[in-house]
Amino acid sequence: GYEEFMARMGPALTAGQSQAVRLSNGYLTAFLSSELGKPTEAKTGTGEYVGVSRDGRPLRDALRGPVITVKLELRQGRDLATGMRRGLTRALGIVGLEFDHAARRSLQDAIIADPQIVGYRRAVRGTCAACLATAAGTFDGNVHFPVHPSCQCVTEPVVRGVKDTFPRLTGEQIFAAKTAAEQDEAIGKKAADAVRTGLVTLTALVEVQRQAKADVIT
């Protein structure tokens, strides 16, 4: 039941979020120290990242979803194994999003709080057209960092007064450096053909790929 699920999942996810916040703070301190050439302690954000979901609800409320999924599956006449499998899939998705949110949000809040940092760049991993389209230039720390389920992109701080010796590639440059096969794999053949022929730009594909990612680029 729900109580048994929460007794196991709640503490595990809370511990994971706590560790994610510590790692974000450690990463930012190491990044600043490297960029400035001296030991530098990063500022920390003031938000709440542990024990709460990305929409501000207690984790207990956010984690009701998988149990509800199982009950709905059973109500619709599906067998218990199918219901449990779909509930597990939803649970894994929620846990991944909540863990990643704690890591990303604590890092971005720390970027905003630290006067030595002027903003961030999007370091893409993978990736889809929506991510590639937003990988261009430096963003103010207050600019929302859009992600989708399974998104592996991260914020890379930009430190005040440090020369950008090795500029991060834009999404267009990353796409152009790929082979045609790699481009097809990254964003899909139809979309890749449209970009290659100039029918659309990567930026124009953001809305399309939001739909493909189940409208949950957040």
Side-chain angles (χ1 to χ4, degrees), residues 149-182:
S150 301
C151 183
Q152 296 301 304
C153 297
V154 297
T155 50
E156 180 182 273
V158 177
V159 182
R160 188 185 306 279
V162 176
K163 185 177 180 180
D164 190 11
T165 307
F166 302 102
R168 183 167 289 282
L169 297 177
T170 66
E172 287 79 4
Q173 290 170 328
I174 294 172
F175 182 81
K178 294 178 180 290
T179 65
E182 290 170 337

Side-chain angles (χ1 to χ4, degrees), residues 10-23 50 99 102-103:
L13 180 52
T14 298
Q17 288 179 320
S18 181
Q19 180 67 3
V21 173
R22 286 196 293 270
L23 290 173
V50 179
F99 175 85

Side-chain angles (χ1 to χ4, degrees), residues 120-167:
Y120 70 87
R121 300 185 188 92
R122 187 183 189 96
V124 297
R125 299 287 188 275
T127 187
C128 71
C131 293
L132 285 175
T134 55
T138 299
F139 298 90
D140 181 272
N142 290 293
V143 174
H144 178 61
F145 186 79
V147 297
H148 57 73
S150 301
C151 183
Q152 296 301 304
C153 297
V154 297
T155 50
E156 180 182 273
V158 177
V159 182
R160 188 185 306 279
V162 176
K163 185 177 180 180
D164 190 11
T165 307
F166 302 102

Side-chain angles (χ1 to χ4, degrees), residues 22-47:
R22 286 196 293 270
L23 290 173
S24 290
N25 292 340
Y27 161 73
L28 193 54
T29 291
F31 191 93
L32 277 172
S33 299
S34 176
E35 290 289 278
L36 297 173
K38 60 181 181 181
T40 307
E41 188 73 24
K43 303 290 184 182
T44 57
T46 58

Side-chain angles (χ1 to χ4, degrees), residues 128-134 146 201-213 217:
C128 71
C131 293
L132 285 175
T134 55
T201 63
L202 278 173
T203 302
L205 287 174
V206 172
E207 292 300 327
V208 174
Q209 294 241 325
R210 279 182 176 171
Q211 296 296 322
K213 294 292 182 180
I217 290 186

